[in-house]
Amino acid sequence: RPRCAGLQAMDSLREGAVAICATLAKSGYRALFAGGCVRDMLLAVPPKDYDIATDARPEQIANLFPRTVPVGIDFGVQLVVVPQGQYEVTTFRKDGPYLDGRHPASVAFLDEREDALRRDFTINALFYDPLAEQLVDYVGGREDLAARVIRTVGDPRARFAEDFLRLLRAIRFAARFDYTIEADTFAAITDLAACIERTSAERVRDELIKILTEGGAKRAFILLDETTLLQHVLPEVARMKDVQQPAEFHPEGDVFTHTLLLLELLDNPSPTLALGALLHDVGKPDTFTEGDRIRFNNHDKIGAEMAQAICRRLRMSNHDTERVEWLVGQHMRLAHTPGMKESKRKRFVREEGFRELLELCKIDCLASHGDLSTIRWLENYCASLKPEEIRPAPLVNGHDLIALGYEAGPLFAEILSAVEDAQLEGAVRSPQEARELVARKWPLPSA
């Protein structure tokens, strides 16, 4: 077990993990950092969290720490709460058969080697002893990290059959780290691709979001296509392949190629922006027509309906579903913004998702014709606006209209919207001017 130079950097999160290991060690138990945090440490990437594996049983862990939560007691998982944060502490185990394609039917608490052998990929099956400063590698994970290879621990078909979500996880890690997938592992993914449909929509959704937002999304979707996983998780995206586009607007090629270029341009995106980029042209295959040139009439509207259906299928939240649907439905509208009436334009740019839409349309241009003139115009326009110019304080309200003699009813909404339009246009600037506008456009009957 060689010492690992470069793995000793300490921060608050790691301090808490080391303290937990030290507490376990003082009571005679073995305690190791496990899985992704060890991988990230070897890659000089700050771990987002630290998982700890130990030979202490769940009840022994609970007795050693003042605050624990038995989040997975049947699988030997205790959540240990210390001042630095919350840490999963798991008893070394060997898993029984996976009858439901996700959870083992039984577990046996054994030793660290058996625990390493139950894990998914070699690069995720590494241990590190922070007290002895030693790497513990039973599966060749360090060599695969050096060779930049994604390989299952043991027989790939057996590993994937335990949890078919691992099919997508293999793609995510290969894309995120820009690694190759070992040949037998790749073949197993391709052979078992249809089995991903047995995995819950929520788990597939979470994995797809990570694929889209952690980096390497373009390569991930190339791999999803090559392994045929794409047609099982997002058949609407798979249909973009070979759908040709007019060369004068899209010299890059077909709709799928264009979409891949957008994914490559994503820079730490929100999930909704990433999904909006992926699905912005999802309506094109169904709207493809040829005449004087290739056209995709109403692909934005149809695409928005398809995007909503996809988000519902993936069990996205209502908020995120509505945002993705809006981004897809509005992405063609942005080009017309400079010619809009001032009031309509200000209402548009104050929409909650407008900044995401602007970024989506920017990378849409960069992935096609490259003309950013409208984007630059809008960026300058938005930068010149003061908050009160796009959301001015109302000059009149419903109480004012009643005081003027109007009866409450549906007409109020029309009047108040028209007054706000006039404000946004700069046509009225005071309550008195607003009242005069109302009296002029909606005169009351003479007494």
Side-chain angles (χ1 to χ4, degrees), residues 294-361:
I294 294 172
R295 296 183 185 277
F296 303 99
N297 295 328
N298 294 319
H299 81 272
D300 45 352
K301 178 181 178 182
I302 291 172
E305 295 170 355
M306 294 175 66
Q308 182 196 61
I310 291 167
C311 289
R312 296 289 183 213
R313 187 175 77 225
L314 292 173
R315 305 289 195 270
M316 301 287 293
S317 69
N318 289 338
H319 173 274
D320 287 356
T321 296
E322 291 168 5
R323 173 63 61 83
V324 174
E325 179 187 6
W326 186 82
L327 290 172
V328 174
Q330 299 293 319
H331 82 275
M332 295 296 290
R333 186 183 175 200
L334 204 76
H336 307 293
T337 313
M340 290 178 179
K341 287 181 58 177
E342 186 69 10
S343 56
K344 186 176 183 180
R345 182 166 54 236
K346 285 179 177 176
R347 288 181 183 276
F348 189 26
V349 303
R350 76 186 188 189
E351 290 276 359
E352 184 184 350
F354 186 80
R355 290 293 175 179
E356 285 189 351
L357 180 65
L358 188 61
E359 180 62 21
L360 169 59
C361 293

Side-chain angles (χ1 to χ4, degrees), residues 36-77:
C37 64
V38 182
R39 176 201 66 220
D40 290 347
M41 288 160 58
L42 286 167
L43 294 173
V45 175
K48 295 180 180 178
D49 51 41
Y50 287 85
D51 291 336
I52 296 163
T54 179
D55 57 357
R57 298 298 179 94
E59 63 277 10
Q60 294 167 330
I61 297 168
N63 289 335
L64 283 175
F65 297 95
R67 294 183 61 195
T68 60
V69 182
V71 292
I73 198 70
D74 292 339
F75 304 102
V77 184

Side-chain angles (χ1 to χ4, degrees), residues 373-386:
S373 56
T374 298
I375 302 297
R376 298 304 184 209
W377 187 92
L378 268 170
E379 288 174 340
N380 292 332
Y381 172 77
C382 291
S384 71
L385 290 174
K386 298 176 181 178

Side-chain angles (χ1 to χ4, degrees), residues 27 110 134 150 238 263 370 372 419:
S27 296
L110 296 174
Q134 291 176 333
I150 301 298
L263 297 183
L372 293 178
V419 171

Side-chain angles (χ1 to χ4, degrees), residues 4 7 18 42 56 59 88 141 144-145 150 153 157 173 181 204 207 220 227 251 274 297 340 349 358 360 383 397 426:
C4 296
L7 294 187
V18 172
L42 286 167
E59 63 277 10
E88 283 194 3
D144 282 342
L145 273 179
I150 301 298
V153 175
R157 283 164 177 77
F173 290 125
I181 300 177
V204 170
E207 201 64 28
T227 58
N297 295 328
M340 290 178 179
V349 303
L358 188 61
L360 169 59
N397 57 36

